[in-house]
């Protein structure tokens, strides 16, 4: 911008600022005067209305509304007027149609104002209709979102407003009594809303002339500035144009100065010089362009080759780092994994043997992590493991860390072996007992509460410590010793630590190992379901199958239920395992249906420990997730659940029945008072316990009891299943007394899911039934 232009801009800016300030001061003065005048005027009108206290006292709404309309007519800035009693309850109101009345709590309106003083509070309200005219167009954008002043004016009376028994005549007599003016009472309040926007718009007529005057002054200053700057800048423009022609290599024009001979000579000389320079410049530009093209071509080739080489190097480096990270580090916690831990611990053990040093291995397992993971979800479990890893890493001092590493990037101070198992290697121990100080510090660190997913959790660890070479000299043996010590610590009450000792007998180690493996059985998909068919011998069809849980141990093979089910109940895992069995049975039933195989129902056992408030949602979720129809699921309940008789048990049974599932009594007749609940609970089936079936020919009482159970089931309209049938004699006895649905090894042992599909073929058992003697 030229000097003349800057001067012109400065003059215009000063004029605009002056006009704006003058207009703003005038508008503010007019607005303040109008507001103060309206407040005082409204107050005077309220206090001068002598009949208003009586109208409020006697709740004469007609007189109140007349006064309010009179009050509103006095100014368009009043948007509403309300008569309120002493506690703020509205008695009468008049509201401008453009201002919806928004109710505000009376204590907020009054604030800390004394009851006998006028209250004034402000708040924001929606926009009012736009004003018209030039001044309105200027002010409307400034008034977006109106502001209201809520003014509450006390109305005084010589009569106590609590005295409702006084008549109008007595009221008037009190007013003219000699001592009537001795005391006044607040009988109510007049609540009016003063609109800022309307006050400003009422001031527009007085402001319009000021705005016009300011605008005219601004335009005059702009015109004068433009004329003056043009006169000043004319010679400079000529010089600038000449300089532009010289710099651009254009021929210089005389620009009205042809009569000056000296100027013509100078112009001719400059034009000849410019012509020569233009020719030279053109040649130089061509040469420079050719050279630049060659340089750019070679540079592009080198750059491309360099980028390709760098990219290849980066990809190789990233791939190597990624493969190392995947191979040696846990993806969840970024801690060294089992592979890196094993390799480095082996190196440390060999170095320790060479230098005669003592090494300690701390094995950490979180208590009740499975319960937290199942309750809050796997995402919360992952967050918990990250927090534990962070705390373990931060709690380790440099003096605790392993002292020798084959790779400085592969330190194994804290490692995660998998699940909720962590390890810590302590190198160069002065005494084995030094490891206990580290263990105590870890117990304290992990015992502090942690916030996971909005839940405050306290996770305690069980810690086992093994010392090399005292307890073991190989990685496998040392890890096994620390693991054994950890499970003894867990069995001793959890949240503590133990050193490995050779006194820990093999039976205890086997049990602890089995517990450890059982905790991970679900995660490792080691649990499977076997199905024992229930055959209706009257028709030869398979009418159902009982789902029986088995544990396919990777080392011990198929673990029988009597060995791990009681252990699961002791460890508190039975609910988790039961829920898994329920979901898996429903899922496999749907899979059979999709394969075109007919299995009318599946029976799933429910442990007494599993029968709690969470069972009904578990059943509902299993049905919903699989899409299995409820009537094709049967829950086998123990008599202990039935005889509980509690309100919660009754409600849970009713809720299960409402879902549509079938209910069966498993091992019927083995409990106490087995008959009282049959008519009270919504049962569908009885199962004769195997012990009665097996001993029917050895005990007259057992045989009589079986006959009685069959008759009872028929009289109550309940289905009946005899389980544990293995011999022809047992089959003949049951059939002769009316029990036709048989479950037992006579027809089939519990079968894996794939083998079950074969026995569901139509007529599979018909020939076998025909061959059985009756």
């Amino acid at each position: 911008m030229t000097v003349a232009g800057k001067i012109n801009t400065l003059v215009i800016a000063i004029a605009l600022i002056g006009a704006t300030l003058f207009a703003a001061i005038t508008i503010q003065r007019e607005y303040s005067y109008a507001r103060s005048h309206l407040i005082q005027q409204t107050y005077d009108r309220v206090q001068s209305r002598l009949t208003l206290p009586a109208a409020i006292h006697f709740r004469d709404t007609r007189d109140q509304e007349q006064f309010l309309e009179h009050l509103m007519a006095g100014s368009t800035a009043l948007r509403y007027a309300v008569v309120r009693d002493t506690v703020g309850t509205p008695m009468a109101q008049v509201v401008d149609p453009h201002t919806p009345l928004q109710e505000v709590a009376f204590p907020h309106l009054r604030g800390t104002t004394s009851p006998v003083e006028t209250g004034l509070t402000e708040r924001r309200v929606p926009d009012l209709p736009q004003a018209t005219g030039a001044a309105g167009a200027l002010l409307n954008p400034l008034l977006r979102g109106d502001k209201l002043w809520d003014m509450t004016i006390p109305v005084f009376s010589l009569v106590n407003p609590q005295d409702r028994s006084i008549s109008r005549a007595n009221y008037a007599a009190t007013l003219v009594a000699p001592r009537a003016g001795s005391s006044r009472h607040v009988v109510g309040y007049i609540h009016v809303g003063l609109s800022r926007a309307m006050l400003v718009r009422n001031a527009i007529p007085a402001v319009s002339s000021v705005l016009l005057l300011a605008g005219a002054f601004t335009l005059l200053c702009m015109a004068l500035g433009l004329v003056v700057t043009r006169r000043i800048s004319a010679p400079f423009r000529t010089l600038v144009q000449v300089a532009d022609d010289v710099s651009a290599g254009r021929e210089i024009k005389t620009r009205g100065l042809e009569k000056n001979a000296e100027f013509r000579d100078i112009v001719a000389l400059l034009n000849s010089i410019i012509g020569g320079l233009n020719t030279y410049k053109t040649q130089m530009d061509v040469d420079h362009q050719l050279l630049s093209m060659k340089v750019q071509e070679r540079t592009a080739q080198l750059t491309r080759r360099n980028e390709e080489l760098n990219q290849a190097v980066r990809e190789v480096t990233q791939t190597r780092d990624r493969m190392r990270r995947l191979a040696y580090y846990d993806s969840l916690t970024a801690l060294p994994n089992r592979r890196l831990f094993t390799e480095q611990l082996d190196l440390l053990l060999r170095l320790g043997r060479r230098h005669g040093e003592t090494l300690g291995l701390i094995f950490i397992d979180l208590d009740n992590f499975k319960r937290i993971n199942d309750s809050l979800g796997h995402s919360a479990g992952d967050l918990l493991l990250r927090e534990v890893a962070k705390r373990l890493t931060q709690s380790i001092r440099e003096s605790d860390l392993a002292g020798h590493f084959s790779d400085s990037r592969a330190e194994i101070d804290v490692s995660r072996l998998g699940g909720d198992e962590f390890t810590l290697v302590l190198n160069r121990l002065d005494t084995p007992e030094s490891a206990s100080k580290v263990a105590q510090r870890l117990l304290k660190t992990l015992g502090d509460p942690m916030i996971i997913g909005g839940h405050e959790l306290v996770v305690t660890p069980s810690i086992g410590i093994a010392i090399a070479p005292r307890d073991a000299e190989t990685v496998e043996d040392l890890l096994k010793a620390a693991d054994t010590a950890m499970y003894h610590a867990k069995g001793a009450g959890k949240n503590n630590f133990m050193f490995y000792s050779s006194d820990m007998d093999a039976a205890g180690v086997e049990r602890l190992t089995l517990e450890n493996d059982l905790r991970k059985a679900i995660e490792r998909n080691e649990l499977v379901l076997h199905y024992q068919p229930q055959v209706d011998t009257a028709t030869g069809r398979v009418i159902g199958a009982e789902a029986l849980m088995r544990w396919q141990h990777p080392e011990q093979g198929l673990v029988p239920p009597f060995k791990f089910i009681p252990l699961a109940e002791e460890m508190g895992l039975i609910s988790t395992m039961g829920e898994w069995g329920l979901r898996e049975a429903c899922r496999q039933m749907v899979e059979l249906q999709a394969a075109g195989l007919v299995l009318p129902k599946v029976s799933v056992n429910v442990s007494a420990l599993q029968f709690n408030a969470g069972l009904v949602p578990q059943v509902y979720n299993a049905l919903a997730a699989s899409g299995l129809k409820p009537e094709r699921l049967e829950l086998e309940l123990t008599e202990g659940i039935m005889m509980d008789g509690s309100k919660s048990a009754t409600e849970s049974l009713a809720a299960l029945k409402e879902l549509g599932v079938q209910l069966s009594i498993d091992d019927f007749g083995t409990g106490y008072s087995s008959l009282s609940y049959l008519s009270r609970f919504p049962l569908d089936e009885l199962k004769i316990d195997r012990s009665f079936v097996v001993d029917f020919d050895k005990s007259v009482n057992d045989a009589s009891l079986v006959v009685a159970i069959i008759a009872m089931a028929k009289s109550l309209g309940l289905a009946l299943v005899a389980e544990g049938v293995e011999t022809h004699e047992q089959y003949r006895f049951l059939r002769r007394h009316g029990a036709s649905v048989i479950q037992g090894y006579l027809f089939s042992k519990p079968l894996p899911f794939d083998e079950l599909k074969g026995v569901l073929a139509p007529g599979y058992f018909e020939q076998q039934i025909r061959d059985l003697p009756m």
Side-chain angles (χ1 to χ4, degrees):
M1 183 181 293
T2 62
V3 175
K6 292 180 179 179
I7 295 174
N8 188 31
T9 303
L10 180 62
V11 171
I12 295 173
I14 293 174
L16 285 173
I17 292 173
T20 302
L21 288 176
F22 176 70
I25 293 171
T26 303
I27 292 172
Q28 177 62 31
R29 180 172 57 82
E30 291 292 333
Y31 165 73
S32 299
Y33 171 76
R35 176 174 174 268
S36 301
H37 178 72
L38 180 59
I39 291 174
Q40 184 61 41
Q41 182 185 46
T42 304
Y43 180 84
D44 293 342
R45 288 185 176 182
V46 171
Q47 301 303 333
S48 63
R49 184 77 172 203
L50 300 179
T51 60
L52 182 58
I56 296 176
H57 184 90
F58 291 104
R59 301 186 177 275
D60 186 350
T61 57
R62 182 178 180 182
D63 194 8
Q64 294 174 14
E65 290 177 352
Q66 290 178 352
F67 171 70
L68 294 179
E69 291 173 353
H70 171 71
L71 189 64
M72 289 284 290
S75 174
T76 57
L78 296 179
R79 309 312 299 165
Y80 55 82
V82 183
V83 177
R84 299 180 181 272
D85 60 13
T86 55
V87 296
T89 303
M91 301 172 65
Q93 62 184 27
V94 176
V95 183
D96 183 88
H98 298 296
T99 307
L101 180 58
Q102 297 178 347
E103 189 61 33
V104 181
F106 190 68
H108 177 73
L109 292 174
R110 297 291 299 169
T112 58
T113 307
S114 170
V116 299
E117 296 178 352
T118 299
L120 191 64
T121 59
E122 66 179 42
R123 59 190 173 93
R124 290 278 182 181
V125 297
D127 297 346
L128 291 175
Q130 302 292 301
T132 58
L138 177 63
L139 294 175
N140 282 331
L142 303 177
L143 299 175
R144 293 294 183 187
D146 192 12
K147 180 187 291 185
L148 281 183
W149 279 276
D150 289 291
M151 179 179 179
T152 51
I153 306 171
V155 180
F156 299 100
S157 172
L158 300 177
V159 179
N160 189 341
Q162 304 299 325
D163 186 4
R164 294 295 180 185
S165 61
I166 188 170
S167 64
R168 289 183 177 271
N170 293 335
Y171 186 92
T174 302
L175 295 179
V176 299
R179 58 185 186 87
S182 60
S183 63
R184 297 192 304 171
H185 303 274
V186 176
V187 69
Y189 294 89
I190 300 301
H191 172 202
V192 295
L194 282 66
S195 169
R196 179 193 66 172
M198 294 307 298
L199 285 172
V200 173
R201 292 172 188 173
N202 290 341
I204 288 177
V207 174
S208 299
S209 59
V210 175
L211 294 177
L212 291 175
L213 181 60
F217 176 73
T218 303
L219 292 175
L220 179 60
C221 291
M222 292 173 62
L224 291 175
L226 184 61
V227 171
V228 172
T229 54
R230 281 185 176 276
R231 287 182 175 275
I232 294 175
S233 62
F236 294 101
R237 286 199 300 273
T238 301
L239 293 176
V240 169
Q241 291 172 355
V242 171
D244 289 342
D245 291 342
V246 173
S247 63
R250 294 191 298 267
E251 183 180 355
I252 301 175
K253 299 178 180 179
T254 56
R255 301 185 187 280
L257 301 176
E258 296 84 355
K259 297 179 180 180
N260 191 322
E262 294 179 354
F263 183 78
R264 287 197 304 272
D265 293 340
I266 293 174
V267 168
L269 178 61
L270 289 176
N271 285 335
S272 64
I273 295 174
I274 291 173
L277 290 175
N278 285 338
T279 302
Y280 179 74
K281 179 182 177 184
T282 301
Q283 185 61 41
M284 289 295 293
D285 287 342
V286 172
D287 295 341
H288 177 73
Q289 186 174 4
L290 292 174
L291 180 62
S292 297
M293 291 173 62
K294 289 292 183 181
V295 171
Q296 290 175 1
E297 181 181 358
R298 297 303 181 190
T299 302
Q301 292 176 353
L302 292 174
T303 301
R304 187 164 53 253
R305 295 292 184 269
N306 188 48
E307 289 179 354
E308 292 174 354
L309 180 60
N310 291 337
Q311 180 64 24
V313 172
R314 284 195 299 269
E315 290 178 356
V316 171
T317 304
Q318 291 173 358
T319 301
R320 183 194 63 189
D321 294 342
R322 185 163 55 251
M323 292 178 64
R324 176 179 178 79
R325 174 65 57 179
L326 292 174
Y328 287 102
Y329 290 90
D330 176 49
S331 60
L332 178 63
T333 61
L335 294 178
N337 60 13
R338 180 182 289 270
R339 181 178 180 180
L340 179 58
F341 163 78
T342 303
E343 292 181 2
Q344 293 295 323
L345 181 58
D346 180 66
L347 173 63
L348 290 174
L349 288 174
R350 286 189 276 113
L351 290 174
R353 284 194 298 271
R354 179 185 303 173
H355 299 289
E357 297 171 347
T358 301
L359 180 144
L361 174 61
I362 294 180
F363 194 101
I364 305 165
D365 185 87
L366 304 181
D367 300 328
N368 301 320
F369 172 74
K370 177 67 173 159
R371 176 173 56 82
I372 295 174
N373 201 35
D374 291 342
S375 301
L376 302 181
H378 293 289
S379 297
D382 291 345
L383 292 176
L384 175 62
L385 291 175
R386 290 195 186 100
E387 179 63 22
V388 169
K390 178 182 177 182
R391 292 192 180 191
L392 289 175
T393 304
Q394 293 177 346
S395 66
I396 303 304
R397 301 171 182 169
E398 292 185 3
S399 58
D400 300 330
L401 302 182
H404 302 293
F405 303 99
S406 61
D407 186 344
S408 60
R409 297 169 297 178
E411 299 182 358
I412 55 167
D413 46 356
V414 179
S415 303
R416 182 189 177 213
L417 300 188
D420 57 340
E421 296 177 345
F422 298 85
T423 57
L424 171 64
V425 178
L426 305 177
N427 197 32
R428 294 179 177 178
L429 291 175
D430 49 358
T431 62
E433 288 70 24
S434 300
S436 62
K437 297 180 181 179
V438 179
Q440 290 172 350
R441 190 161 68 244
L442 295 179
L443 290 173
K444 183 178 182 303
T445 299
L446 295 182
D448 294 335
M450 56 184 73
I451 305 300
I452 302 295
H455 301 275
E456 182 176 310
L457 304 178
V458 176
V459 179
T460 59
S462 294
I463 299 176
I465 305 174
I467 305 298
R470 185 188 69 183
D471 300 326
E473 295 186 357
T474 65
V475 173
E476 182 178 356
D477 293 341
L478 188 64
L479 188 60
K480 182 178 179 181
D483 183 64
T484 300
M486 181 274 294
Y487 275 103
H488 274 78
K490 191 177 291 289
K494 305 178 181 179
N495 194 27
N496 62 0
F497 67 91
M498 279 191 178
F499 282 88
Y500 173 77
S501 171
S502 58
D503 296 336
M504 297 176 179
D505 55 84
V509 172
E510 180 183 359
R511 175 183 170 85
L512 291 173
T513 303
L514 195 61
E515 288 182 1
N516 182 33
D517 293 343
L518 185 57
R519 292 178 187 277
K520 304 168 185 174
I522 297 179
E523 298 176 4
R524 297 174 177 174
N525 295 321
E526 295 174 1
L527 296 180
V528 295
L529 292 181
H530 286 192
Y531 296 88
Q532 189 169 36
Q534 297 172 346
V535 182
D536 185 353
T537 57
T539 63
R541 295 188 305 107
V542 177
I543 65 166
E546 180 179 0
L548 301 170
M549 190 174 295
R550 298 291 186 265
W551 180 11
Q552 188 66 47
H553 194 280
E555 298 175 357
Q556 302 181 23
L558 202 62
V559 181
F562 70 84
K563 197 169 183 179
F564 72 88
I565 292 297
L567 189 61
E569 292 179 342
E570 291 181 22
M571 297 168 62
L573 297 177
I574 193 65
S575 293
T576 302
M577 294 170 61
E579 182 179 2
W580 174 88
L582 185 63
R583 287 179 174 270
E584 184 68 7
C586 292
R587 184 191 68 79
Q588 291 184 344
M589 280 288 287
V590 174
E591 184 176 335
L592 288 176
Q593 179 180 339
L597 299 174
V598 178
L599 182 61
K601 66 181 175 69
V602 62
S603 300
V604 179
N605 290 282
V606 176
S607 168
L609 297 177
Q610 187 184 356
F611 193 82
N612 51 40
L615 178 61
V616 177
Q618 288 178 12
V619 174
Y620 176 82
N621 292 335
L623 292 171
S626 63
L628 182 67
K629 293 182 179 180
E631 60 269 17
R632 298 184 61 194
L633 174 64
E634 182 178 74
L635 301 181
E636 294 192 6
L637 311 173
T638 64
E639 286 191 308
I641 296 175
M642 298 293 102
M643 292 185 294
D644 179 21
S646 64
K647 181 180 178 182
S648 60
T650 304
E651 291 176 350
S652 295
L653 289 172
L656 289 171
K657 195 61 184 174
E658 187 176 350
L659 284 179
V661 302
Q662 300 186 48
L663 302 178
S664 173
I665 298 299
D666 192 19
D667 302 336
F668 179 74
T670 59
Y672 300 96
S673 304
S674 307
L675 305 179
S676 61
Y677 58 82
L678 291 180
S679 60
R680 292 190 295 111
F681 295 124
L683 303 175
D684 299 289
E685 180 184 270
L686 297 182
K687 293 192 75 174
I688 303 175
D689 183 59
R690 177 181 180 277
S691 61
F692 299 136
V693 175
V694 171
D695 296 333
F696 85 95
D697 56 347
K698 302 175 184 177
S699 170
V700 176
N701 291 336
D702 285 346
S704 300
L705 185 55
V706 170
V707 175
I709 292 174
I710 295 172
M712 185 188 310
K714 289 183 177 180
S715 65
L716 294 175
L718 299 177
L720 186 71
V721 176
E723 63 179 351
V725 181
E726 300 178 357
T727 66
H728 294 173
E729 290 77 11
Q730 296 167 358
Y731 170 76
R732 223 175 13 250
F733 174 78
L734 292 168
R735 288 287 286 127
R736 189 164 55 247
H737 290 89
S740 61
V741 181
I742 303 299
Q743 174 185 339
Y745 276 75
L746 178 63
F747 288 107
S748 175
K749 66 178 183 179
L751 301 172
F753 178 67
D754 291 336
E755 296 182 20
L756 174 67
K757 298 177 181 180
V759 305
L760 296 180
Y764 184 85
F765 291 105
E766 289 181 1
Q767 184 60 44
Q768 182 181 356
I769 294 172
R770 282 195 295 267
D771 295 340
L772 289 173
M774 288 296 296

